[in-house]
Amino acid sequence: MATIFDKIISGELPCDEVYTDDKCLAFKDITPQAPTHILLIPRKPIKSLQYLKCEDQELMGHLLLKSSEIAKAAGLESWRTVINTGAESGQTVFHLHIHIIGGRKLSWPPG
Ligand code: 5GP
């Protein structure tokens, strides 16, 4: 079943795009939890970290590298990257995504 993020990738749903290339897409979260809250998703429909395969190693490296570039391009010097995995962790959209959150002091531990 297509997720909201599949529909954003296909262009069926709009997004506030921040970055795009042939492997991934980044856009602003619709319900930001901080002044900067960007979602970075692979174009490949991977449900979560739980379903990664060995063949995804290069893609995951690409995503982490891009997450850093995107955070810095957004003017952040300090930020948090979050990948919720599974419903109990808070994952609501089952298309792998990296949250890039910053622009305010973030507390720890997470809730
Ligand atoms: P999760 O809870 O699965 O880790 O994160 C899903 C994120 O997607 C949430 O932060 C939520 O606000 C965001 N989100 C859900 N639907 C949409 C949408 O249609 N557009 C955008 N830009 N973000 C969305």
Side-chain angles (χ1 to χ4, degrees), residues 2 4 8 16 21 29 40 49-50 52 56 61-62 67 82 88-90 106:
I4 286 169
I8 287 175
D16 196 345
D21 65 24
D29 195 294
L40 174 60
L49 286 184
Q50 188 181 352
L52 279 186
D56 299 319
H62 182 76
S67 73
V82 174
E88 282 288 295
S89 78
L106 299 168

Side-chain angles (χ1 to χ4, degrees), residues 75-93:
L76 300 176
E77 291 180 354
S78 183
W79 66 88
R80 185 171 296 168
T81 43
V82 174
I83 306 177
N84 291 324
T85 304
E88 282 288 295
S89 78
Q91 186 176 7
T92 57
V93 180

Side-chain angles (χ1 to χ4, degrees), residues 33-36 78 101-107:
Q33 302 300 317
T36 299
S78 183
I101 301 167
R104 67 170 170 81
K105 180 141 178 69
L106 299 168
S107 60

Side-chain angles (χ1 to χ4, degrees), residues 4-5 27-31 39 84 90-93 97 99:
I4 286 169
F5 293 171
F27 51 89
K28 293 184 181 171
D29 195 294
I30 204 165
T31 312
L39 299 171
N84 291 324
Q91 186 176 7
T92 57
V93 180
H97 50 282
H99 294 260

Side-chain angles (χ1 to χ4, degrees), residues 5-95:
F5 293 171
D6 290 309
K7 291 180 182 173
I8 287 175
I9 289 168
S10 71
E12 195 180 328
L13 284 178
C15 73
D16 196 345
E17 186 179 299
V18 172
Y19 174 82
T20 186
D21 65 24
D22 61 329
K23 295 188 183 66
C24 62
L25 173 65
F27 51 89
K28 293 184 181 171
D29 195 294
I30 204 165
T31 312
Q33 302 300 317
T36 299
H37 188 167
I38 295 166
L39 299 171
L40 174 60
I41 67 176
R43 292 184 179 279
K44 183 177 176 183
I46 301 168
K47 283 184 188 164
S48 76
L49 286 184
Q50 188 181 352
Y51 297 95
L52 279 186
K53 296 183 176 151
C54 288
E55 68 197 32
D56 299 319
Q57 184 169 333
E58 192 182 328
L59 173 62
M60 292 310 294
H62 182 76
L63 289 175
L64 272 187
L65 194 61
K66 289 299 164 189
S67 73
S68 174
E69 290 178 10
I70 290 164
K72 288 182 281 189
L76 300 176
E77 291 180 354
S78 183
W79 66 88
R80 185 171 296 168
T81 43
V82 174
I83 306 177
N84 291 324
T85 304
E88 282 288 295
S89 78
Q91 186 176 7
T92 57
V93 180
F94 286 83
H95 182 120

